Every structure is written in C-alpha cells, then in structure tokens.
Amino acid sequence: MVLMPMIVLYATYNTTINYGNSKYLLWFFVLMTLVFVFQYVRVFSKINLFASNHLICSYYTLYMLPIVLLNKSRLLRIIIVIIVTLTLFSSVKRAGVLALAAALLVYLFVNQYIKNKLKVSSIFVSILLILSFGGLFFYLGSLGENENDTLLARIENMGQDSGSGRTEVWEKAAKMISRQDADKLLMGNGYNAVLSESPIQKSAHNDFLEVTFDYGVIGLVLYICAFISLGFFVLRIIMSKSQYAPSAAMLYTIYFVLSLVSHIIIYYWACIVMMTFGYIIGLERRDARG
C-alpha cells in the first residue's frame, strides 16, 4: 500500500518520458474512466442508499478526469466532464463535489491563461460559464427522493454535523499524535494506524494528520516535501504556459482539497493520482528535452 503508488508513479513517468504520448493510451484512459463509472453504478444500484461510504468509489472518476482532459477532442472532454459531474453529485459526497468544483474553476482559468485569452471578453465568458456551472451544480444538488438527502441539504447541515464528524475526527487524531512517545512520534505507528487505534474507529480524514501518526515526523517531512515539490512543478509549467498545465493544475487542486478533508495518499486510489502525475510530468519533461 505504501510502495505501490511510488512504483506506479515511476513506471508511468519512465514509460512516458521514453515513448511519449499516444492517442490510443488516451483513449484507454477514457475507457478506464467509463469502467469506473460502470463500477460506481453497480455499487449504487446494490446499495441504493445516499451518502453511503461505499459510494466514495465515485472518486475514481474524479481522479481520472485530469488525464482524460488531455484528449484533443473538445466534444469528448465535455461529455466526460458531464459524466463525472453526474457521478459525483449522485454520490452526495460533499468533499468530492467541492474538489470537482474547485478543480473545474482552476482548469478553466489556467486554460485561459496559457492561451493568452485573459482579456475582458474572455473573462466575461468565463464568468458566464462559472455561473452556468453554478446553476447546474445547484440543480443537481437539489435532486433526490428525500429533500433531507440532497447534496444541498447535506451542505446546509455541515454546521450541525461538523462535516460528517470531521471536527471530532481531526481532534481525536491530533490528541493521538500529541500523546505518543518520542520514538513513535519520530518513526510512526505503521500503515493506517489511526483507524486501528482511534477510540472512534475512524481514519484521520486528513492526509497530514494520518501521515504524522502512521509514519511519524520523518514521514510527515517527506510527505510535505513531495507535496510542495509537486506544487512547484505545477506552478512552473503554468508560468511556462505548457499545454499540460490545465490538467496538472486540476489534478493538484483535487489532490490539495481531498488531502485536507479526506484521503489520497494512504488508500489504493493513490495509484491513479500518481499515474496521472507521472504521465503529465513525463510528457512535460519529454517535450522540454526535445
């Protein structure tokens, strides 16, 4: 669980930097996304319960979105965005919808920037698109058999349920970290230790707290270095107006949001995130060296 995302990152990067991009591979990523949608629909139909933890499998489609948007077909990109949006909203997962909304806004802005379209007219068009997305999000968020189970209702109730109890979860995880012995604080307690040792039997729902307890201060420092390093990479290719910048910025936004309020790094879907990072970094480095 710890090594596999690193292996995927290296393997994807190494393959891409040596062999470059491929339209067939991009279509394969589209197919992967549709398979994840199909998987989610099967889970949803069997559970038929809004806000079930099992519906977090909808996040797989979210993690695939940045790499799919590298496809040259505008129509395909629009269709995939619509499919992923419908999938996330039907899961009624607030963190996922928040990450999606932020990622789409960042993608739109960066895409306008690298194409030198940040003019008054383009900004006006962007505002209209944002308002259109906002209207769509509001409409989809109000759908549901029971008005108390809609996404909007769950967002309105965040003050009452503290984000599905996240405030309590973060508090418990912080106390667990502060009460450790020096050796445990330095080296950690092992993979997914928060879940097994927490008095409320929940993971930290924050990658920084999780990594600190699982892998200690050493692990936290390494994680922060990797986190910042990826951020500088994204910022650099945005400033250089790379064609890959919108997707990279979108992916980092998703990574940033869900690392704070959910999990990326300790679960198996980290492989998908690392695959996308490896693919984009490999393409950028290959283009840079000519």
Side-chain angles (χ1 to χ4, degrees):
M1 299 299 293
V2 177
L3 292 178
M4 186 56 68
M6 300 180 190
I7 294 172
V8 170
L9 174 65
Y10 174 76
T12 308
Y13 168 79
N14 187 61
T15 301
T16 307
I17 200 170
N18 284 292
Y19 298 102
N21 204 354
S22 166
K23 63 179 182 179
Y24 300 107
L25 191 54
L26 287 176
W27 277 104
F28 174 73
F29 293 143
V30 172
L31 179 60
M32 280 182 63
T33 304
L34 296 178
V35 168
F36 287 139
V37 172
F38 177 70
Q39 170 193 327
Y40 166 75
V41 170
R42 289 190 63 193
V43 172
F44 185 88
S45 63
K46 289 181 179 298
I47 296 175
N48 195 24
L49 178 65
F50 285 106
S52 168
N53 287 332
H54 294 81
L55 297 184
I56 201 170
C57 65
S58 62
Y59 285 14
Y60 282 107
T61 64
L62 177 62
Y63 302 141
M64 289 298 300
L65 186 58
I67 201 169
V68 171
L69 292 183
L70 291 173
N71 200 290
K72 299 297 183 182
S73 171
R74 178 179 296 180
L75 177 60
L76 177 63
R77 295 200 303 267
I78 293 174
I79 291 173
I80 293 297
V81 167
I82 292 173
I83 290 174
V84 173
T85 299
L86 292 174
T87 301
L88 264 293
F89 270 87
S90 66
S91 72
V92 203
K93 291 293 184 182
R94 291 171 292 191
V97 170
L98 174 62
L100 174 64
L104 287 174
L105 291 177
V106 168
Y107 180 89
L108 180 64
F109 176 81
V110 174
N111 192 53
Q112 294 289 309
Y113 173 73
I114 67 170
K115 293 182 178 179
N116 295 317
K117 292 183 178 180
L118 283 180
K119 302 174 183 178
V120 175
S121 58
S122 63
I123 292 175
F124 179 73
V125 172
S126 298
I127 291 174
L128 288 179
L129 286 173
I130 291 170
L131 291 175
S132 299
F133 271 118
L136 177 62
F137 275 35
F138 183 85
Y139 172 72
L140 293 175
S142 64
L143 296 179
E145 297 180 2
N146 187 329
E147 63 178 11
N148 294 323
D149 289 329
T150 66
L151 180 64
L152 289 179
R154 296 197 71 220
I155 292 175
E156 291 175 358
N157 291 332
M158 286 184 67
Q160 300 177 14
D161 67 3
S162 299
S164 297
R166 276 175 171 75
T167 303
E168 181 186 7
V169 169
W170 293 335
E171 182 182 350
K172 295 292 184 183
K175 286 183 178 179
M176 290 169 63
I177 293 170
S178 64
R179 293 172 179 173
Q180 295 182 103
D181 296 332
D183 58 333
K184 293 288 186 180
L185 183 61
L186 184 65
M187 303 297 294
N189 298 272
Y191 171 76
N192 208 11
V194 175
L195 179 62
S196 60
E197 299 189 25
S198 172
I200 57 177
Q201 292 295 293
K202 289 185 178 180
S203 64
H205 284 71
N206 177 288
D207 277 338
F208 296 92
L209 290 174
E210 187 76 42
V211 168
T212 303
F213 189 78
D214 290 1
Y215 305 113
V217 173
I218 294 176
L220 177 63
V221 170
L222 292 174
Y223 183 68
I224 291 175
C225 288
F227 197 87
I228 294 175
S229 176
L230 287 173
F232 276 116
F233 166 77
V234 173
L235 182 61
R236 180 178 62 79
I237 66 172
I238 290 174
M239 299 306 295
S240 65
K241 297 187 176 181
S242 166
Q243 61 179 314
Y244 312 114
S247 287
M250 168 181 263
L251 180 61
Y252 193 77
T253 302
I254 295 169
Y255 185 41
F256 180 82
V257 172
L258 292 182
S259 283
L260 293 180
V261 299
S262 184
H263 284 301
I264 291 285
I265 200 64
I266 67 167
Y267 291 142
Y268 23 81
W269 48 68
C271 291
I272 300 175
V273 177
M274 293 301 108
M275 176 189 73
T276 307
F277 268 125
Y279 193 77
I280 294 174
I281 295 172
L283 290 177
E284 174 64 24
R285 295 280 170 80
R286 182 179 174 87
D287 288 357
R289 74 181 188 182

